């Protein structure tokens, strides 16, 4: 248990239209807080933005022993990051010793997660706890193919689930995080990688906490807009980094990120996304190859392009080089189209593999990305514009957007 069991602990639940699962998550937080901090002040904060399904009302009707707070934001120009920033602000107002985050759509949240996450950030120096779970082999695509290998390649640190959603921060981390520059995408789905990448950039303590199995709503319908926002925030942080760092000494770790259970995404949704990406690449192929020279040698596949484990690390290195040259938005957008083809190729690659074999494949992909980027002379440390996020090249190709995305950072 944390050494300070009498302080203030805030568990924040960022949510939008999660009425079917938010009560169970809140009850798990309540039980976990009362077990881990029986003598402290415990608060569960729901931060929601524009829910239309009664998420806030469902939370308010849920019987909890600990204190409850609801923070509401409008739906236009807001996102997950808006809710997380509200939770961090609530933690600061309450002078919280620690702040935890639980995603509202998770169906496997356990009370024990509270103690595990809180213990990991005990201490006076800024610290962040990130989750390590077992997940459906067809999920965690943005994590496995973008966030994790790119962070490893730039910062020299392998983080299995840098954008998992379940986090913990101590007071010193919250104070530090509230000073960091916020690109507009960090108010959207870029928030998780913004937190982890900034922590790595500042060499803060990052602790991976095993949480077992994660079951939640399929993220595949968001496969075009979510990675675009994640990459935007990640690239903004990379540009403020002094340079690519050599790999840190790493003790052998047995990766166990792939769950035994697996469910394929809806084939109708997959077909729709495949068509959208095909149209995008057909219209932008010449420019894609200019930004990603390694794409010129890609072979065709039934879904578009065959982007294998051997090809993907070089494409990610091309991406960092493109951002370093000043082409953040163009690189971001074209990478999304290649990334979808990487995901579809990966699904074919793992067809006959078991969980441990898939883990080995993903570890090799991350290691090869470190090698690919390390072999290039890339200078970062540029000034990045933080004022506007826009779908840019993807306008007209991604009709899954929930909201208008041409907007400025809130004042």
């Amino acid at each position: 248990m944390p050494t300070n069991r009498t302080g203030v602990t805030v568990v924040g639940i960022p949510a939008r239209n999660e009425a079917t699962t938010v009560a169970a998550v809140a009850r798990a937080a309540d039980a976990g807080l009362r077990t881990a901090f029986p003598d402290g002040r415990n608060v569960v904060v729901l931060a929601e933005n524009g829910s239309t399904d009664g998420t806030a009302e469902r939370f308010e009707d849920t019987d909890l022993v600990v204190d409850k707070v609801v923070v509401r934001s409008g739906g236009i120009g807001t996102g997950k990051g808006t809710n997380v920033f509200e939770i961090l602000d609530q933690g600061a107002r309450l002078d919280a010793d620690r702040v935890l985050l639980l995603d509202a759509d998770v169906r496997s949240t356990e009370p024990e997660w509270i103690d595990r996450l809180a213990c990991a950030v005990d201490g006076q120096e800024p610290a962040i706890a990130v989750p390590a779970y077992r997940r459906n082999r067809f999920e965690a695509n943005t994590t496995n193919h973008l966030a994790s290998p790119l962070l490893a390649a730039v910062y020299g640190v392998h983080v299995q689930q840098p954008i998992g959603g379940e986090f913990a921060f101590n007071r010193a981390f919250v104070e530090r995080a509230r000073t960091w520059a916020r690109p507009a995408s960090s108010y959207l789905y870029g928030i998780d990688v913004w937190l982890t990448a900034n922590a790595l950039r500042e060499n803060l303590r990052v602790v991976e906490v095993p949480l077992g199995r994660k079951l939640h709503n399929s993220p595949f319908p968001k496969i075009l807009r979510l990675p675009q926002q994640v990459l935007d925030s990640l690239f903004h942080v990379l540009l403020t980094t002094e340079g690519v760092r050599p790999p840190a000494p790493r003790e052998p770790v047995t990766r166990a990120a792939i769950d035994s259970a697996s469910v394929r995404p809806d084939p109708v949704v997959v077909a729709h996304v495949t068509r959208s990406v095909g149209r995008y690449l057909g219209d932008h192929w010449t420019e894609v190859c200019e930004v990603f020279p390694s794409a010129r040698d890609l072979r065709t596949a039934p879904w578009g392009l065959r982007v294998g484990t051997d090809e993907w690390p070089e494409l990610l290195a091309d991406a960092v080089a493109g951002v370093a040259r000043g082409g953040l938005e163009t690189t971001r957008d074209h990478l999304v189209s290649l990334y979808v083809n990487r995901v579809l190729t990966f699904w074919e690659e793992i067809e006959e593999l078991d969980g441990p074999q898939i883990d080995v494949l993903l570890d090799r992909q991350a290691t090869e990305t470190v090698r690919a980027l390390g072999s290039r002379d890339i200078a970062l440390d540029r000034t990045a514009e933080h004022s506007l996020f826009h779908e840019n090249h993807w306008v007209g190709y991604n009709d899954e957007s929930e909201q208008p995305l041409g907007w400025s950072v809130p004042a």
Side-chain angles (χ1 to χ4, degrees):
M1 277 203 176
T3 55
N4 176 11
R5 285 178 279 172
T6 59
V8 179
T9 305
V10 170
V11 173
I13 305 174
R16 184 180 186 189
N17 290 333
E18 303 294 354
T20 58
T21 50
V22 69
V25 174
R27 285 193 291 266
D30 178 65
L33 283 166
R34 287 185 286 113
T35 299
F37 304 102
D39 300 318
R41 182 186 177 194
N42 301 314
V43 184
V44 177
V45 177
L46 175 75
E48 71 88 23
N49 60 312
S51 295
T52 57
D53 68 344
T55 295
E57 292 75 15
R58 184 75 181 91
F59 174 78
E60 290 173 325
D61 290 343
T62 302
D63 290 331
L64 304 183
V65 176
V66 304
D67 294 338
K68 289 191 290 186
V69 174
V70 176
V71 181
R72 291 181 170 90
S73 303
I76 301 299
T78 61
K80 181 181 180 180
T82 306
N83 295 330
V84 171
F85 288 135
E86 290 285 1
I87 291 166
L88 294 179
D89 288 345
Q90 285 290 321
R93 292 188 192 104
L94 293 168
D95 197 26
D97 294 275
R98 62 198 67 82
V99 175
L100 286 68
L101 298 178
L102 299 177
D103 275 350
D105 68 336
V106 177
R107 301 189 302 277
S108 55
T109 307
E110 297 288 347
E112 293 78 15
W113 290 8
I114 302 300
D115 187 49
R116 293 180 197 170
L117 290 165
C119 282
V121 297
D122 208 15
Q124 300 301 312
E125 295 300 315
I128 176 176
V130 299
Y133 353 71
R134 301 189 312 277
R135 298 182 65 176
N136 178 352
R137 65 174 59 198
F138 299 108
E139 294 183 357
N141 294 303
T142 303
T143 292
N144 293 334
H145 304 298
L146 293 174
S148 188
L150 282 169
L151 289 172
V154 174
Y155 296 109
V157 179
H158 290 261
V159 181
Q160 181 176 301
Q161 299 275 349
I163 58 172
E166 276 62 43
F167 291 99
F169 325 108
N170 60 11
R171 184 203 306 268
F173 186 94
V174 172
E175 292 172 351
R176 183 76 65 88
R178 295 178 78 220
T179 70
W180 293 332
R182 300 177 181 181
S185 54
S186 70
Y187 288 84
L188 306 172
Y189 284 118
I191 181 61
D192 292 347
V193 79
W194 178 86
L195 288 162
T196 307
N198 272 302
L200 294 174
R201 178 181 61 85
E202 294 204 358
N203 292 303
L204 305 183
R205 184 159 62 96
V206 178
V207 186
E208 295 184 90
V209 179
L211 295 181
R213 169 182 285 181
K214 180 174 184 177
L215 301 175
H216 69 147
N217 300 333
S218 173
F220 190 83
K222 307 171 186 175
I223 196 168
L224 296 182
R225 59 189 171 86
L226 186 150
Q228 188 187 34
Q229 296 166 19
V230 170
L231 286 170
D232 189 86
S233 282
L234 174 55
F235 288 162
H236 273 89
V237 178
L238 296 192
L239 282 177
T240 64
T241 304
E242 291 183 358
V244 176
R245 300 175 187 171
R250 185 187 183 198
E251 295 182 4
V253 176
T254 302
R255 178 188 173 102
I258 305 301
D259 195 27
S260 57
S262 62
V263 179
R264 281 186 174 272
D266 184 342
V268 174
V269 178
V270 174
H272 172 77
V273 169
T274 302
R275 287 193 299 270
S276 296
V277 172
R279 286 195 301 114
Y280 181 97
L281 284 170
D283 292 343
H284 297 92
W285 182 243
T286 299
E287 189 177 35
V288 168
C289 289
E290 290 174 356
V291 179
F292 296 87
S294 303
R296 295 190 179 103
D297 297 326
L298 295 175
R299 294 173 292 136
T300 60
W303 51 85
L305 296 172
R306 189 172 300 281
V307 184
T309 303
D310 294 330
E311 292 84 18
W312 187 236
E314 295 297 335
L315 291 166
L316 290 178
D318 285 347
V320 177
V323 172
R325 289 193 300 269
L328 189 154
E329 289 188 354
T330 298
T331 302
R332 173 199 74 189
D333 293 353
H334 294 342
L335 182 56
V336 170
S337 66
L338 296 172
Y339 153 75
V340 173
N341 280 275
R342 170 59 191 141
V343 170
L344 298 174
T345 305
F346 176 74
W347 290 353
E348 183 183 75
E349 289 177 336
I350 65 174
E351 190 67 40
E352 303 299 327
L353 302 183
D354 61 20
Q357 290 172 320
I358 297 171
D359 282 320
V360 169
L361 184 67
L362 290 171
D363 268 342
R364 178 164 72 86
Q365 176 172 273
T367 300
E368 285 302 303
T369 304
V370 173
R371 180 204 57 76
L373 190 58
S375 69
R376 305 192 187 192
D377 184 15
I378 297 176
L380 298 172
D381 199 16
R382 296 174 60 97
T383 300
E385 175 60 53
H386 292 284
S387 62
L388 185 68
F389 177 86
H390 197 274
E391 287 182 321
N392 204 342
H393 295 82
W394 279 98
V395 171
Y397 298 94
N398 177 15
D399 57 10
E400 300 297 326
S401 297
E402 293 183 350
Q403 59 193 28
L405 290 181
W407 63 288
S408 298
V409 175

